[in-house]
Amino acid sequence: PARDKTFFINLPTISGEPIPSALRLWFLRACFPAARHRLLREGMHMTQAAAAAFLMLVLLFGGPWVTVQSTGAPEPQPARTAQEQTDAPGADESSVLRVWNGTETVEMTMAAYLPGVVRGEMPATFEEEALKAQAVCARTYAYRQIKANAYSRYGAHVDDSTNYQVYNNTESSERTNLAVKETDGKIVYYNDTPAETYYFSTSCGYSTDGTIWGASKDEVPYLKGIGLTEKKKIPDLTDNDTFLKFIQGQGEQNYDSSFPMYRWKTTITNKKLQQKVDTIGEIQGIFVTSRGTGGIAQTVQIVGSEGTKTLKGQSQIRSVLGSESLVYKKNDGTELTGWSTLPSAFFSVDETARDEEKDIRTFTIWGGGYGHGVGMSQNGAQEMAREGKNYEEILMFFYDGVEIRDCEED
């Protein structure tokens, strides 16, 4: 055999059984002299002939298998068991990030960080494919923060709050652990760059685009406003009357329409609002003056007896108009209170009552959804998973034109 080859020789058999000893002896007597004389006739050295004879003896009397291996050839390695492959460290074990918890910076692997984030951001009772989608979003988001090093003043990559992602050292669960493990190292990419994988709780039936924070559409083309139906169609809801009609109704059935925060309603008085807006006199009116994709309020004007105040951007709008004392009636008829901001900026507002004697005006706010409305709706992802969509299908639904692939270290 060639020196760099390894081969296996099977013992001669008859119908799968080893050759009997008597038959072996007859075969040896009959064949060995003839083989020896033939080798000599062809000019082979006696030593070579002896080697050939030895090989024949091994064939006849050796063990069930014989391995003939030349010097320097690697020994065959047994295949790794499924358990060994499962226990092998993955990409998340190799990736380290630092988390600022408000008092100190804690270093941990991505594998240790992500289960707590997924548990903190999404109920562990959600469908496994929804949890996987959340895990990939959270990993992509964390990976971008590692590269940006935005919390470098604390020697950290992220902090433990909704400014980044809620880790909060939340106890993980078997389901969140599995979601992280089964998506090990997976990242959302757009044109070879990790995407901005924003997510929020619930939509009003439509999401909005990434321009709400000042980015251009060209900067985040994958963050598009969509309808949460299979066709993803979204109408023009920038007109106040059109949006009012939509938000006061239920719209068409979609991935979020069965959840309580799909629709909500509350009231606020001018007196309550004046506790926050106290520089324009008696408040007389609240008007949405511009809307973005999906009908989200972009600017709101508050009119007072001594001037006006303009609110810009969904964060400021929700903060100023919200109050912990407001009571929200949800789509399922239940109520909640204690929130300092409006659930979302997808709303219409109008004066619905006035007490002239007390100079109290009551404004009703009809709204839908919970969160900023950009990227993936978590409840929408849950409904898609219930309907049989896998995590990659979910992510590619919410983030247009992206790829899901292994993290590329650089």
Side-chain angles (χ1 to χ4, degrees):
R3 290 187 178 274
D4 61 346
K5 302 291 183 182
T6 299
F7 62 91
F8 298 92
I9 304 170
N10 196 7
L11 188 69
T13 62
I14 298 177
S15 300
E17 297 296 329
I19 296 176
S21 298
L23 187 55
R24 292 187 189 199
L25 184 60
W26 174 85
F27 186 79
L28 177 62
R29 288 173 177 172
C31 298
F32 181 75
R36 176 171 57 81
H37 290 306
R38 182 177 179 183
L39 291 169
L40 290 174
R41 282 199 308 270
E42 293 180 0
M44 294 185 68
H45 191 273
M46 195 63 191
T47 303
Q48 294 172 307
F54 176 74
L55 178 59
M56 188 173 294
L57 285 170
V58 171
L59 287 171
L60 291 169
F61 298 104
W65 285 91
V66 178
T67 302
V68 180
Q69 184 169 322
S70 60
T71 304
E75 294 184 6
Q77 298 297 317
R80 291 197 306 167
T81 66
Q83 183 62 43
E84 288 172 332
Q85 292 178 8
T86 300
D87 293 341
D92 288 344
E93 288 285 359
S94 305
S95 183
V96 177
L97 76 162
R98 297 182 294 277
V99 182
W100 172 253
N101 64 13
T103 57
E104 62 179 344
T105 296
V106 180
E107 188 173 279
M108 64 186 70
T109 65
M110 193 75 78
Y113 172 72
L114 288 177
V117 169
V118 175
R119 179 68 181 269
E121 296 282 1
M122 179 177 278
T125 55
F126 268 31
E127 296 290 325
E128 196 63 39
E129 293 302 311
L131 291 170
K132 289 180 185 178
Q134 182 67 49
V136 175
C137 281
R139 183 182 296 107
T140 306
Y141 195 78
Y143 182 74
R144 284 183 62 92
Q145 301 311 314
I146 290 174
K147 296 305 176 186
N149 204 22
Y151 241 61
S152 58
R153 65 185 181 277
Y154 296 113
H157 301 121
V158 298
D159 77 348
D160 181 18
S161 75
T162 54
N163 290 330
Y164 289 90
Q165 300 181 110
V166 179
Y167 169 67
N168 200 28
N169 200 22
T170 306
E171 183 179 353
S172 61
S173 72
E174 184 177 345
R175 291 172 58 78
T176 56
N177 290 344
L178 184 64
V180 171
K181 194 168 188 177
E182 291 194 351
T183 60
D184 181 68
K186 295 297 182 185
I187 295 286
V188 180
Y189 281 94
Y190 184 84
N191 285 350
D192 296 325
T193 300
E196 293 269 21
T197 49
Y198 294 111
Y199 48 87
F200 60 99
S201 172
T202 314
S203 78
C204 67
Y206 302 105
S207 65
T208 192
D209 55 46
T211 63
I212 66 167
W213 293 300
S216 70
K217 290 185 178 181
D218 291 337
E219 290 177 299
V220 283
Y222 49 88
L223 294 177
K224 293 182 177 178
I226 60 171
L228 270 79
T229 62
E230 198 164 326
K231 294 182 179 179
K232 302 170 69 170
K233 284 187 63 176
I234 185 168
D236 183 359
L237 294 171
T238 56
D239 174 73
N240 276 334
D241 290 337
T242 303
F243 188 80
L244 176 63
K245 183 178 179 181
F246 163 71
I247 205 69
Q248 286 182 333
Q250 292 293 311
E252 64 178 315
Q253 185 174 357
N254 58 74
Y255 294 129
D256 272 327
S257 54
S258 64
F259 292 93
M261 291 304 293
Y262 176 67
R263 290 288 182 270
W264 49 265
K265 183 173 73 171
T266 192
T267 59
I268 187 171
T269 66
N270 59 338
K271 299 298 185 183
K272 175 63 66 175
L273 189 53
Q274 281 164 202
Q275 294 175 6
K276 287 187 174 181
V277 183
D278 58 1
T279 58
I280 59 174
E282 291 289 324
I283 291 176
Q284 300 170 341
I286 307 171
F287 307 95
V288 176
T289 50
S290 68
R291 295 186 181 276
T293 302
I296 190 169
Q298 291 181 321
T299 58
V300 169
Q301 190 174 71
I302 302 174
V303 178
S305 60
E306 300 174 12
T308 62
K309 181 177 179 64
T310 300
L311 310 178
K312 296 181 179 180
Q314 63 97 26
S315 296
Q316 184 185 34
I317 292 169
R318 293 170 63 190
S319 177
V320 172
L321 297 184
S323 170
E324 291 185 1
S325 64
L326 298 186
V327 178
Y328 298 91
K329 185 174 182 180
K330 299 185 290 184
N331 208 37
D332 61 357
T334 61
E335 295 181 345
L336 65 86
T337 190
W339 287 8
S340 61
T341 69
L342 291 182
S344 82
F346 294 86
F347 68 86
S348 284
V349 58
D350 200 5
E351 183 181 336
T352 52
R354 185 182 302 184
D355 186 331
E356 295 285 3
E357 290 184 3
K358 296 181 180 180
D359 195 22
I360 296 177
R361 300 173 188 241
T362 300
F363 301 93
T364 298
I365 302 174
W366 298 270
Y370 175 28
H372 51 64
V374 180
M376 183 182 76
S377 163
Q378 293 167 307
N379 278 327
Q382 165 70 349
E383 185 60 29
M384 291 179 74
R386 282 177 181 164
E387 295 183 10
K389 301 289 193 298
N390 65 41
Y391 79 93
E392 291 184 328
E393 291 173 316
I394 292 169
L395 292 170
M396 288 188 284
F397 176 86
F398 287 108
Y399 306 104
D400 190 60
V402 300
E403 294 180 280
I404 317 300
R405 62 175 192 259
D406 292 332
C407 174
E408 298 172 359
E409 297 289 348
D410 53 49

